[in-house]
Amino acid sequence: MKWSTSLIGLFVYLAVLADVVTVNGAENPRIVIVGAGAAGIAAASRLYQKGFKNITILEASHRFGGRIRTTPFGGGIVELGAQWCHGEQGNVVYQLASVYPGLLKSSIIADEDAALIRSSGVQVPAAVADRLQTMAEGIIESPGRDTFDGSLGEYFTQEYWKKLATPAFKDISRELAEQFLVYYHNYERGYTAYDSWYEVAASETDSYVEPAGNQDIAWNGKKGFSTILDIVSGNYPGTTNKTLTPVPITNLIAYNKFVSNIQWKGSADGDVIVKAQDGTTYEADNVIVTVSLGVLKENFRTMFTPALPTVNQQAITGLYFGTVNKIFVLFDAPIPDDFPNTVHLLWYKSDLNALRQSPNAWAEAVSTFFRIDNQPNVLMAWMNGAEGRRAEYLRDAPIKDGILHLLKIFGKNLKFGNILGLLRSKWSSDRLYRGSYSSRSITTENLNTGARSLGKPVKNAANEPVLLFAGEATNPIHYSTVHGAIDSGFREANRLINYYS
């Protein structure tokens, strides 16, 4: 059977027409996405793959990925930002990446050898540590939190000492109990990125839902966590999902564009006007803002014209945004075999007071040491809170001295090699982030706000969603995570797809 030229032309026309999105008679609505992190890449990819091709991503730095920051170090890679895939069921990162054999694996820190080591160099017996850890986790997950009128710190401390007064814990000395309480506070600070659990309400309106399954899944590829960006955008080699159109992400991004103002009520003809600090201006029909909550907190009063609605402003003000930092240390020899994969630091009061009076006082910020998957010569120190933020401003030399001082104490009698290299994150002092990830505080509860309020789209006089928000802080159940960020990017892309359809 032969096709006529005119019929072929008709099919070509229909095929092109099917790929063109229209709004109010105009082809391809102009969509500007502010930020090329996980949420921004997810939103752009979903839109592009659904036929929205007029997309511009404005990225303030010279790279994409945001708080996914896979970096070459020590002959391999390390993760300055997001590091592990947390959970399997209900985790979009795991669902997308697990179809590729060998890309994910259980991390070495998932092994049951996490140690509590006291500043005497002596490890708390594993059975004792497990009992205390299980008891502490039970308090954190207790339904009694929901009716407690006070901070998480008050609730936990009250319940902790009640439990320790029971016969089941009569073998635990007061000194060890106090050390463990300080450690567990540090553990929670690192997990949720707040400075103190006395800033957090025991009863939280938004509550993180932990995906079921292994919480410590490592990346086994050369590109580490950044691989997920290739998968989301359909650019991962050997992509099995043939329905995903490869997205030319790098062609969509304009780098070094720090957005200083978004005029969301727009010009006389209804355009949203986006201005960057370098003087460039972009006109759009819709803008998706995916910058960190830290950037919003610092800039929201000048970033939006007119001012954002009260519901969005209260969310920016009320949600908590804290800092967790990492120090990666490269040695000229493998980490000693007897040094556990995870080491939590427990201090005697006299030793901690001595540290505070020494040139290594900053090292109190270090709560935990972790070994690194596929990097036998690299050790990571995890830093929390205000102390960790202050350490961002120190030179490398005192950081090296402090790390070696800690290893002499908590790796007593073990021989570590010479330090060949040091790599650190500085999330708080970086104006493009101003912290690591979001959590909830007493202020959040007092303002009766949360992630849904932050993610509420802003509409113009014609009731069009002209300003939308994505990012981990806008996800009410998976905040503080990459899977939460990606979910939020898909959410806002779908919002626009549904609106224009």
Side-chain angles (χ1 to χ4, degrees):
M1 182 177 180
K2 296 183 179 179
W3 297 96
S4 69
T5 303
S6 60
L7 194 56
I8 292 174
L10 176 61
F11 278 119
V12 171
Y13 171 76
L14 291 174
V16 172
L17 188 62
D19 197 42
V20 173
V21 180
T22 63
V23 51
N24 297 329
E27 294 180 357
N28 264 326
R30 300 158 300 171
I31 299 172
V32 168
I33 297 173
V34 183
I41 297 299
S45 298
R46 175 62 57 86
L47 286 164
Y48 191 94
Q49 287 156 353
K50 292 294 184 180
F52 292 73
K53 302 298 173 66
N54 198 352
I55 298 170
T56 302
I57 306 173
L58 302 180
E59 169 54 43
S61 74
H62 64 282
R63 51 173 284 274
F64 69 86
R67 283 167 278 169
I68 298 176
R69 194 158 191 173
T70 306
T71 306
F73 185 68
I77 55 99
V78 294
E79 306 286 0
L80 281 172
Q83 185 157 347
W84 298 285
C85 173
H86 298 298
E88 297 160 326
Q89 299 174 25
N91 182 335
V92 67
V93 170
Y94 183 84
Q95 291 165 356
L96 289 170
S98 60
V99 300
Y100 302 99
L103 190 54
L104 297 175
K105 68 173 186 177
S106 184
S107 173
I108 56 175
I109 74 158
D111 297 338
E112 297 299 321
D113 76 335
L116 304 182
I117 298 182
R118 305 169 88 175
S119 54
S120 60
V122 176
Q123 181 173 337
V124 176
V128 174
D130 287 346
R131 284 166 53 213
L132 288 170
Q133 190 79 16
T134 300
M135 180 260 283
E137 290 171 357
I139 295 173
I140 289 293
E141 297 169 4
S142 168
R145 285 183 58 178
D146 297 337
T147 56
F148 186 82
D149 185 19
S151 71
L152 175 60
E154 293 169 318
Y155 177 77
F156 186 94
T157 304
Q158 173 183 298
E159 295 300 310
Y160 179 74
W161 290 116
K162 282 183 183 178
K163 297 281 187 184
L164 283 172
T166 64
F169 294 97
K170 65 180 180 180
D171 60 316
I172 305 297
S173 69
R174 178 78 184 194
E175 189 171 50
L176 175 57
E178 290 176 347
Q179 290 174 348
F180 183 87
L181 181 62
V182 173
Y183 143 70
Y184 198 78
H185 183 201
N186 281 332
Y187 173 83
E188 282 294 311
R189 292 201 303 159
Y191 189 74
T192 53
Y194 47 64
D195 285 0
S196 168
W197 55 13
Y198 292 102
E199 298 175 280
V200 181
S203 176
E204 297 176 296
T205 303
D206 282 345
S207 184
Y208 179 79
V209 177
E210 189 172 90
N214 187 352
Q215 297 300 306
D216 301 304
I217 302 172
W219 292 85
N220 206 27
K222 293 181 180 179
K223 295 185 69 175
F225 213 135
S226 62
T227 304
I228 193 61
L229 304 174
D230 292 336
I231 295 174
V232 166
S233 61
N235 289 300
Y236 184 70
T239 297
T240 58
N241 187 351
K242 300 302 182 183
T243 63
L244 287 183
T245 303
V247 180
I249 286 295
T250 55
N251 295 337
L252 303 180
I253 300 176
Y255 291 103
N256 301 308
K257 300 292 182 181
F258 189 98
V259 170
S260 57
N261 184 258
I262 301 172
Q263 187 178 341
W264 56 270
K265 281 199 172 178
S267 60
D269 55 3
D271 293 338
V272 181
I273 309 300
V274 182
K275 297 179 180 178
Q277 276 189 345
D278 65 0
T280 52
T281 299
Y282 301 83
E283 296 179 351
D285 296 295
N286 312 92
V287 175
I288 304 177
V289 177
T290 73
V291 299
S292 77
L293 176 59
V295 171
L296 287 176
K297 282 180 175 291
E298 185 171 72
N299 299 287
F300 80 93
R301 291 175 181 84
T302 57
M303 190 175 181
F304 302 98
T305 304
L308 290 174
T310 301
V311 63
N312 303 89
Q313 289 196 47
Q314 284 193 321
I316 293 170
T317 302
L319 290 171
Y320 195 93
F321 198 70
T323 305
V324 173
N325 274 314
K326 303 174 182 179
I327 304 170
F328 292 96
V329 187
L330 173 64
F331 293 92
D332 63 0
I335 307 304
D337 290 340
D338 290 338
F339 196 76
N341 291 341
T342 304
V343 173
H344 300 297
L345 314 186
L346 273 65
W347 288 96
Y348 285 94
K349 288 182 179 179
S350 58
D351 293 334
L352 186 56
N353 287 334
L355 179 74
R356 289 170 175 170
Q357 301 303 314
S358 78
N360 298 312
W362 75 266
E364 183 181 351
V366 176
S367 64
T368 307
F369 284 109
F370 295 100
R371 288 177 179 264
I372 300 300
D373 292 277
N374 306 319
Q375 290 266 47
N377 290 29
V378 176
L379 192 64
M380 178 177 71
W382 192 278
M383 298 193 298
N384 297 330
E387 307 92 336
R389 291 196 297 275
R390 287 194 291 269
E392 293 184 21
Y393 297 94
L394 296 176
R395 293 179 176 272
D396 282 355
I399 296 294
K400 290 179 182 178
D401 292 343
I403 292 295
L404 291 175
H405 180 71
L406 292 178
L407 291 177
K408 286 180 182 178
I409 296 173
F410 295 95
K412 193 174 182 179
N413 300 324
L414 296 180
K415 182 174 176 56
F416 290 83
N418 299 309
I419 293 179
L420 296 180
L422 199 72
L423 184 65
R424 301 188 276 158
S425 65
K426 299 179 180 181
W427 295 110
S428 178
S429 57
D430 192 327
R431 70 187 288 256
L432 306 186
Y433 304 99
R434 292 304 190 207
S436 302
Y437 44 84
S438 67
S439 59
R440 305 298 177 258
S441 69
I442 290 177
T443 303
T444 310
E445 303 305 314
N446 289 343
L447 291 177
N448 191 29
T449 189
R452 288 183 178 85
S453 297
L454 179 58
K456 186 177 179 61
V458 177
K459 298 181 180 181
N460 61 14
N463 204 35
E464 299 167 337
V466 292
L467 184 60
L468 304 93
F469 293 90
E472 54 85 10
T474 72
N475 194 311
I477 62 171
H478 288 152
Y479 51 86
S480 80
T481 65
V482 174
H483 55 271
I486 291 175
D487 275 338
S488 74
F490 287 160
R491 180 195 69 217
E492 295 311 308
N494 290 338
R495 192 190 302 276
L496 287 181
I497 291 166
N498 292 335
Y499 172 75
Y500 285 123
S501 67

